[in-house]
């Protein structure tokens, strides 16, 4: 049976707290028997930063809110899910903006970055409303 470790954290939807999510990701990555290369860990941190930034910028307007980050480490992959209970957004519109190179919208570029760095990407509505972004990085 494959080893699986799951951990999560909830941060305030403010830019200065995104670093805490990155630190938790680094800690989770260190639990692997074989360490991640600096390049792979850097890619994962960038993808996480972009996902969290979308929630921080767009979910709650200027009001308070929370961003939940869940990490799931398997022997062959790392799954990261970022969700909020804010306004949400239309995934198809975000992907269309990311696909239009000369009209990259703010936020659309973040989705394009995550899509380029991850092996799988899902964007949808969270369990309690808001948005949910889940990406998978294959490690084996």
């Amino acid at each position: 049976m494959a080893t699986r470790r799951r951990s999560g954290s909830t941060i305030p939807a403010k830019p200065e707290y995104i670093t805490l999510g990155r630190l938790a990701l680094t800690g989770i990555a260190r639990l692997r028997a074989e360490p991640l290369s600096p390049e792979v860990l850097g890619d994962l941190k960038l993808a996480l930063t972009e996902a969290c930034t979308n929630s921080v910028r767009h979910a709650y307007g200027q009001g308070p809110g929370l961003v939940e980050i869940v990490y799931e480490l398997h022997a062959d992959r790392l799954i990261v899910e970022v969700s909020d209970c804010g306004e949400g957004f239309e995934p198809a519109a975000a992907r269309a903006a990311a696909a239009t190179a000369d009209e990259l919208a703010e936020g659309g570029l973040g989705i394009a970055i995550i899509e380029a760095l991850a092996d799988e990407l899902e964007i949808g509505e969270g369990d309690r409303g808001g948005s949910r972004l889940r990406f998978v990085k294959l490690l084996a």
Side-chain angles (χ1 to χ4, degrees), residues 48-133:
L48 174 65
T49 299
E50 293 298 334
C52 289
T53 298
N54 281 341
S55 287
V56 167
R57 281 188 175 165
H58 304 294
Y60 303 105
Q62 298 299 318
L66 298 172
V67 177
E68 183 179 12
I69 309 167
V70 176
Y71 312 89
E72 201 173 298
L73 180 62
H74 298 260
D76 62 341
R77 67 193 180 281
L78 177 67
I79 302 168
V80 178
E81 185 171 295
V82 176
S83 58
D84 60 63
C85 295
E87 294 181 22
F89 67 100
E90 178 58 45
R95 281 209 164 109
T100 309
D102 47 330
E103 292 183 18
L104 283 172
E106 188 174 324
L109 182 57
I111 300 297
I113 289 170
I114 298 166
E115 206 160 32
L117 298 174
D119 294 298
E120 298 175 26
L121 174 62
E122 294 175 18
I123 304 170
E125 187 174 322
D127 294 338
R128 296 166 287 170
S131 61
R132 180 185 65 84
L133 187 148

Side-chain angles (χ1 to χ4, degrees), residues 6-56:
R6 184 176 168 94
S7 180
S9 58
T10 302
I11 61 171
K14 296 183 178 189
E16 59 267 27
Y17 289 95
I18 294 173
T19 299
L20 295 175
R22 292 169 55 97
L23 289 171
L25 175 62
T26 300
I28 292 286
R30 288 186 179 154
L31 295 175
R32 290 197 67 209
E34 184 163 329
L36 297 178
S37 72
E39 293 81 17
V40 169
L41 184 56
D43 287 351
L44 288 166
K45 286 180 177 180
L46 178 55
L48 174 65
T49 299
E50 293 298 334
C52 289
T53 298
N54 281 341
S55 287
V56 167

